[in-house]
Amino acid sequence: MADPKYVLAIDQGTTSTRAIVFDHGGQLVATGQKEHEQIFPRAGWVEHDPAEIWDNTREVVGLALAKANATAKDLASIGITNQRETAVVWDRRTGKAVYNAIVWQDTRTQKIAEDLGALGGGADRYKAKVGLPLATYFSGPKIRWILDNVDGAREAAERGDLAFGNTDSWVLWNMTGGVDGGVHVTDVTNASRTMLMNLDTLSWNEDIAGEMGIPLSMLPEIRSSSEVYGNDREGGLAAGVPIAGILGDQQAATFGQACFEPGHAKNTYGTGNFMLLNTGTEIVPSKNGLLTTLCYKIGDQDAVYALEGSIAVTGSLIQWLRDNLGMITSAPEIETLARTVDDNGGAYFVPAFSGLFAPYWRSDARGALVGLTRYVNKGHIARAALEATAFQTREVLDAMNADSGVDLTELKVDGGMVQDELLMQFQADILGVDVVRPKVAETTALGAAYAAGIAVGFWQGEQDVIDNWAEDKRWSPDIADDERDRQYRLWKKAVTKTFDWVDDDVK
């Protein structure tokens, strides 16, 4: 039998699920993709149907393998990457979710977060242990909400019948057999996004779980990011192939971008934006509104940590202009529309649709479009929407420089929006450093593939990832310092206009 030629990555994202086949050179061979429904039951609530996600996962694996003309015997291993803080709670006996997945953008857990903070310490109550502030973003309070609001859920959880996972655990459990022996595991990167894992011991914190009212029996076993967790089930399209890598999507992109040295950073432009800075084996607490998180852990090697700046709304602002306002019919049109004007016309768009994430962590904020005059047209609004992504990234970069004490000299970028050349040039302008795009922009799926391939010896380790990485395009700043400062000052002023919007009778 010939040696396997490929590794398969499953990228279970916020808007779609993809399966991508990669070869040994880290090149994309074939892909399958399917979007899933975004469910908005009321303002601030965002849900996904876990059954639809699992159906789509099977479908896109079939599509990718068919396009690659490959079968299970051609695969060395499978890696999984996923939207991180999106919480699924399911019944181990039936295999069915007890409620829709509550998505990371959802804000319904605000009262739970406030009540926990009121026990002492406010938003920083658990930060020293888990690296995260109390916020609606993370999985733990979402589990609590499901147990409190779904009939019979708490009783079933106390009996040990319910399982929790971010979508990595949901996909893995189903792939390895579901009710028939499914493996209930997560990796350190996903566990670090629940607000329930100790950063130092990489184990669940019983005290925090107790305060949140979450039985430990619900939680998956925490494992490294690169090891064999189990094999694809009999009857699966990749039956018998080891599933050997799990990384939360932003950590996967960091891995795929070969950010293996302390001080290396990447920024992913997706539904939201996420910048990660490798801090090595050192846990660096943030004093500037960033998250301390796991970067990756390869087998039994030491865990590597990161600082992360999370921005809730970037690409989803462009989707909103398309779907809610009808300003464009497809996302790439935003660049064409923005190029009809020379600047933003004085308009600044702060998309605090889910509150503000890093570096503010203001759940009381809501979106604002400011600086409007009769002069402003839809081209200016399109440009302001793109610029919002770059300005928010600058705020996170400033916080990273302050926390790390090392100024970044260039920024590696990836994700869907990096094809927008107007945005990339403005990003370089407003940061004052070079912005670099790799040849393989699918770095999230690629990172998961590398983790899975390293675990089974398909790749030898990080050096293979470094050797495979190649630069595609570089943008350098092309703006006067005083103009950069002026625009950034106005952006910071615009951000203050979003604060304190949510009252008891305003959601």
Side-chain angles (χ1 to χ4, degrees):
M1 189 170 124
D3 289 336
K5 302 181 285 194
Y6 306 127
V7 171
L8 176 71
I10 294 169
D11 180 357
Q12 201 301 291
T14 306
T15 57
S16 70
T17 304
R18 295 183 297 172
I20 302 182
V21 177
F22 290 101
D23 66 16
H24 194 267
Q27 297 300 305
L28 189 153
V29 176
T31 184
Q33 179 169 359
K34 190 167 185 191
E35 290 195 2
H36 52 263
E37 184 184 2
Q38 305 296 310
I39 302 165
F40 305 106
R42 61 176 79 170
W45 292 29
V46 190
E47 298 176 2
H48 295 155
D49 177 355
E52 182 187 13
I53 284 174
W54 172 229
D55 287 346
N56 289 359
T57 301
R58 298 200 300 278
E59 188 171 332
V60 297
V61 167
L63 282 169
L65 290 176
K67 287 181 186 174
N69 196 24
T71 64
K73 72 178 189 306
D74 297 309
L75 300 177
S77 57
I78 300 169
I80 297 172
T81 182
N82 61 295
Q83 48 169 329
R84 295 170 301 177
E85 301 80 3
T86 295
V88 186
V89 175
W90 69 94
D91 191 313
R92 302 175 194 275
R93 302 163 305 166
T94 66
K96 291 189 167 63
V98 301
Y99 188 79
N100 278 339
I102 301 181
V103 178
W104 56 272
Q105 301 154 305
D106 190 287
T107 59
R108 78 185 68 185
T109 55
Q110 180 62 29
K111 178 79 164 60
I112 293 171
E114 289 170 356
D115 289 349
L116 289 166
L119 298 174
D124 290 341
R125 178 168 179 76
Y126 308 129
K127 195 169 184 185
K129 293 187 176 70
V130 303
L132 313 173
L134 268 165
T136 59
Y137 182 23
F138 307 108
S139 312
K142 297 180 174 75
I143 307 170
R144 164 76 172 270
W145 189 93
I146 290 172
L147 296 182
D148 286 349
N149 289 277
V150 176
D151 285 347
R154 184 162 292 285
E155 293 76 14
E158 299 289 356
R159 287 196 305 270
D161 291 340
L162 297 191
F164 152 77
N166 294 340
T167 59
D168 65 304
S169 295
W170 170 245
V171 169
L172 177 70
W173 186 79
N174 280 292
M175 287 189 76
T176 52
V179 295
D180 186 19
V183 174
H184 188 211
V185 159
T186 192
D187 89 302
V188 292
T189 66
N190 274 285
S192 75
R193 315 302 293 194
T194 60
M195 217 188 293
L196 297 167
M197 188 191 81
N198 295 310
L199 282 176
D200 53 354
T201 62
L202 310 182
S203 58
W204 299 120
N205 185 302
E206 294 185 32
D207 294 338
I208 297 175
E211 283 192 0
M212 289 195 192
I214 299 168
L216 288 173
S217 62
M218 294 180 70
L219 304 180
E221 181 186 351
I222 301 172
R223 305 270 281 274
S224 82
S225 311
S226 178
E227 62 178 270
V228 176
Y229 314 108
N231 297 326
D232 192 36
R233 70 204 183 288
E234 286 182 32
L237 288 167
V241 176
I243 302 167
I246 300 175
L247 285 159
D249 52 9
Q250 304 313 320
Q251 286 90 343
T254 308
F255 205 86
Q257 285 272 39
C259 294
F260 297 129
E261 295 296 323
H264 285 187
K266 68 89 208 177
N267 196 30
T268 297
Y269 296 71
T271 304
N273 261 40
F274 303 88
M275 191 187 298
L276 266 74
L277 173 75
N278 183 324
T279 63
T281 55
E282 183 184 359
I283 300 171
V284 178
S286 174
K287 299 180 177 65
N288 295 281
L290 303 178
L291 310 176
T292 304
T293 194
L294 264 293
C295 197
Y296 57 86
K297 185 179 189 307
I298 303 302
D300 54 13
Q301 295 177 29
D302 290 343
V304 174
Y305 294 88
L307 284 168
E308 175 175 331
S310 309
I311 304 166
V313 177
T314 54
S316 55
L317 174 57
I318 309 308
Q319 289 179 319
W320 182 81
L321 293 174
R322 180 192 68 190
D323 300 340
N324 291 40
L325 299 192
M327 273 180 55
I328 51 175
T329 56
S330 68
E333 288 176 24
I334 196 74
E335 181 178 4
T336 307
L337 183 55
R339 285 187 182 278
T340 62
V341 294
D342 293 331
D343 54 36
N344 62 21
Y348 289 80
F349 203 151
V350 186
F353 297 163
S354 302
L356 287 167
F357 284 15
Y360 298 99
W361 299 105
R362 294 286 297 253
S363 298
D364 61 351
R366 286 297 178 268
L369 179 55
V370 302
L372 297 183
T373 62
R374 284 290 300 271
Y375 171 70
V376 171
N377 62 35
K378 62 184 181 181
H380 296 116
I381 292 172
R383 196 165 186 121
L386 287 178
E387 290 181 356
T389 294
F391 283 125
Q392 291 180 99
T393 297
R394 163 75 187 270
E395 291 188 299
V396 167
L397 187 82
D398 287 353
M400 280 199 172
N401 288 342
D403 272 339
S404 68
V406 180
D407 286 355
L408 292 183
T409 55
E410 66 177 30
L411 184 65
K412 288 182 174 179
V413 299
D414 54 70
M417 294 179 82
V418 301
Q419 302 310 315
D420 188 317
E421 306 225 341
L422 180 68
L423 171 59
M424 291 297 100
Q425 182 58 56
F426 186 75
Q427 185 68 87
D429 289 345
I430 214 67
L431 293 180
V433 300
D434 282 8
V435 169
V436 185
R437 182 175 71 194
K439 281 197 170 158
V440 178
E442 298 290 355
T443 53
T444 301
L446 183 58
Y450 280 139
I454 288 169
V456 298
F458 185 75
W459 288 292
Q460 294 311 303
E462 290 96 323
Q463 190 58 49
D464 281 352
V465 182
I466 294 166
D467 292 344
N468 283 347
W469 190 92
E471 180 177 316
D472 174 48
K473 187 157 184 181
R474 177 180 293 262
W475 290 266
S476 298
D478 184 22
I479 188 175
D481 289 349
D482 57 348
E483 177 60 14
R484 175 187 302 121
D485 294 344
R486 183 188 74 84
Q487 293 201 37
Y488 191 46
R489 183 189 83 243
L490 290 169
W491 164 262
K492 298 287 270 189
K493 185 193 290 190
V495 170
T496 66
K497 308 303 181 188
T498 70
F499 296 163
D500 296 316
W501 186 257
V502 176
D503 299 323
D504 287 342
D505 60 347
V506 178
K507 296 302 179 197

